[in-house]
Amino acid sequence: MSYGPPLLLASLNPIAVAAGDDIPDALTIDGTTLSRSDLLGAATSVAERISRADRVAVLAEPTVRTVLAVVGCLIAGVTVVPVPPDAGVAEREHILRDSGAQAWLGTAPEGTELPVVPVRLHARSWHTYPEPHPASVAFILYTSGTTGAPKGVMLSRGAIAAGLDALVQAWAWTWKDTLVHGLPLFHVHGLILGLLGPLRVGSPVIHTGKPTPEAYAAAGGSLYFGVPTVWSRIVEKPELARELGKARLLVSGSAPLPTPVFDKLAELTGQAPIERYGMSETMITLSTRADGERRPGWVGTPVRGVETRLRDETGEPVPHDGVSIGGLQVRGPMLFDGYLNRPDATAEDWTEDGWFRTGDVAVIDADGFHRIVGRESIDLIKSGGYRIGAGEIETALLGHPAVAEVAVVGLPDDDLGQRIVAFVVPRDDSSEDLAVELTTHVGEQLSAHKRPREVRFVDTLPRNAMGKVQKKQLS
């Protein structure tokens, strides 16, 4: 049944709630389950308290208060500034100062100078608000700051709706699904896809707090989101992984899924995972499909409304032959509105003819399938006159049984320009013999010039909250 004009959070329609059309398990998080009517009533109470604000900061812990804060802002048309709970003092102060947040909504860190507006879990309001304009900014998401101070990515309501609807179509996502994930609520993956997606579609969502294999197996969902480290841990516990075979789709993102993990997950669950590609500035622009081919190491084709192209360093087109590497550029209705207070950075990242430079390098094959090689600044290695993608070397190394984790970088070299160095987390003891064996292994799998010149064994790889390896810390 239709209940009036479309809303960004379409399932939270007050007319539907007034008609008694409830969803008893709309949200489960932090040990609490809220129905659609409870979620709408509590979030509307939040909206009443902050409706005159322009921007508020939300300490994005995986709690009911965080969800109510975010939804209340979206109802009232107030821009949300999610702040990572583990952000350092300098990073947090930069986010607050740059965003112009006027208050904390819900929980606030100690020592804050901003006013704090509490979120009351048991308050209810049935006031109705007009749907804000699609062009209004819903979120300012801050980038990881790997190349300087974090930049505020402005995402409009219309862009979010377009991005979610494209995934609904690609993944055949319906109200009959139950989404399960334990991802952070301050990035696109966990916050927009993992919270707003279900609230738009009308599918219940279970947030597990931490994305442990035990929590995922016990949740009993039909649709699961995870990052590669989550899936890696799940396949290490086969009895729990098999429980996920009851699901309809397993989706991996935020970093490349190693081929051995892809293969093992498919073996244990009976289905190959969905891989997709996106970033804060673009949301999800590429994905394999629920009804399509899924290849390890490939992130599929453009979702509805998206166009892509590859360009070399001179701006010339790169052939779609599945081998040639080029800078990935995209355009589509789900892209951001620019960086807050940074017109220089915004202009730098857009071409004159309206394409966004992602900063990633990729290959595209004749069928339009995309494989992401990595970041142009750190994953495209120029060694001895060759252009080499770090990702394919990492994939080859992960195929060796002695390798648990690996990151490949290009370090400065007087002779080669850059030399290929592999940082390896071994499954057992490391040795000089193993280093030679791994180098030989890569040479047997790939071209000789792609062999690592050096193998360094480490206990762990530096990662951020989304599981992405921080290669700039490897040297």
Side-chain angles (χ1 to χ4, degrees):
M1 181 180 295
S2 175
Y3 293 103
L7 308 171
L8 174 58
L9 305 181
S11 74
L12 296 184
N13 195 310
I15 301 175
V17 172
D21 186 3
D22 210 353
I23 302 172
D25 54 353
L27 168 75
T28 300
I29 187 171
D30 197 25
T32 300
T33 297
L34 296 180
S35 68
R36 170 161 69 177
S37 58
D38 281 335
L39 181 54
L40 177 63
T44 303
S45 175
V46 173
E48 285 195 350
R49 297 175 65 81
I50 47 88
S51 60
R52 295 184 180 181
D54 294 319
R55 298 171 187 165
V56 297
V58 174
L59 194 65
E61 300 170 322
T63 65
V64 174
R65 281 187 169 83
T66 294
V67 173
L68 295 180
V70 169
V71 176
C73 286
L74 292 174
I75 289 172
V78 175
T79 300
V80 184
V81 183
V83 179
D86 62 349
V89 174
E91 179 183 0
R92 187 168 64 236
E93 289 180 352
H94 167 75
I95 291 173
L96 296 177
R97 182 175 59 255
D98 186 67
S99 69
Q102 297 157 294
W104 287 100
L105 180 57
T107 305
E110 293 184 6
T112 182
E113 296 181 359
L114 284 181
V116 180
V117 180
V119 170
R120 297 170 179 169
L121 300 183
H122 303 292
R124 298 290 184 270
S125 171
W126 305 110
H127 181 76
T128 57
Y129 289 84
E131 180 73 358
H133 194 279
S136 62
V137 176
F139 293 97
I140 300 174
L141 300 180
Y142 278 81
T143 62
S144 58
T146 55
T147 57
K151 299 190 291 290
V153 174
M154 297 184 290
L155 289 175
S156 72
R157 300 173 72 94
I160 291 169
L164 292 175
D165 289 348
L167 294 181
V168 166
Q169 193 261 352
W171 299 344
W173 189 354
T174 75
W175 62 271
K176 296 180 181 179
D177 283 305
T178 295
L179 172 63
V180 177
H181 73 92
L183 302 173
L185 298 182
F186 49 86
H187 283 311
V188 165
H189 197 170
L191 175 61
I192 295 181
L193 275 61
L195 177 60
L196 271 58
L199 295 181
R200 184 165 178 81
V201 175
S203 60
V205 56
I206 299 171
H207 193 286
T208 61
K210 294 183 178 179
T212 65
E214 292 77 11
Y216 272 40
S222 63
L223 178 61
Y224 284 79
F225 290 171
V227 298
T229 50
V230 171
W231 299 121
S232 296
R233 291 167 184 163
I234 285 174
V235 300
E236 290 175 356
K237 298 188 176 182
E239 71 284 358
L240 298 178
R242 291 188 184 96
E243 286 296 310
L244 301 189
K246 303 171 185 177
R248 186 178 67 82
L249 285 183
L250 309 176
V251 182
S252 182
S254 295
L257 184 65
T259 296
V261 178
F262 182 106
D263 292 340
K264 192 66 175 178
L265 193 59
E267 175 191 336
L268 292 170
T269 65
Q271 61 169 301
I274 290 283
E275 292 195 72
R276 84 302 180 283
Y277 163 81
M279 52 198 306
S280 299
E281 292 89 339
T282 68
M283 289 187 280
I284 306 305
T285 51
L286 300 166
S287 181
T288 50
R289 300 177 57 87
D291 59 355
E293 180 185 2
R294 306 173 202 176
R295 306 177 198 165
W298 295 75
V299 292
T301 55
V303 300
R304 186 174 63 189
V306 171
E307 299 174 85
T308 64
R309 70 184 189 185
L310 299 179
R311 291 293 184 267
D312 64 18
E313 291 94 334
T314 66
E316 292 300 310
V318 172
H320 294 185
D321 55 13
V323 177
S324 301
I325 298 173
L328 178 64
Q329 300 179 5
V330 302
R331 63 182 180 186
M334 63 283 294
L335 269 63
F336 74 133
D337 289 339
Y339 298 111
L340 181 68
N341 304 324
R342 291 293 305 276
D344 55 334
T346 302
E348 183 179 342
D349 284 347
W350 289 84
T351 67
E352 292 183 358
D353 55 347
W355 293 75
F356 177 69
R357 299 184 180 99
T358 65
D360 287 318
V361 285
V363 299
I364 305 176
D365 73 5
D367 296 323
F369 255 62
H370 293 59
R371 178 169 62 84
I372 305 300
V373 173
R375 295 299 291 171
E376 190 166 11
S377 59
I378 56 176
D379 292 312
L380 180 60
I381 301 170
K382 299 175 183 178
S383 181
Y386 293 99
R387 292 160 54 88
I388 302 163
E392 62 179 336
I393 304 172
E394 291 165 351
T395 298
L397 286 167
L398 286 167
H400 193 285
V403 176
E405 297 180 83
V406 63
V408 172
V409 299
L411 297 183
D413 187 275
D414 292 338
D415 179 39
L416 298 169
Q418 288 182 305
R419 70 182 185 279
I420 301 170
V421 179
F423 289 81
V424 173
V425 179
R427 294 194 179 278
D428 297 306
D429 294 336
S430 59
S431 67
E432 186 175 337
D433 288 343
L434 178 57
V436 173
E437 184 179 338
L438 294 178
T439 299
T440 302
H441 174 75
V442 173
E444 292 171 348
Q445 301 292 317
L446 306 174
S447 302
H449 65 266
K450 296 178 181 179
R451 291 178 299 179
R453 298 285 175 148
E454 185 180 351
V455 175
R456 301 184 188 179
F457 295 107
V458 295
D459 294 330
T460 59
L461 297 175
R463 296 180 182 273
N464 65 14
M466 295 302 293
K468 295 183 180 179
V469 175
Q470 303 297 282
K471 290 189 175 182
K472 288 188 178 294
Q473 298 182 29
L474 298 173
S475 61

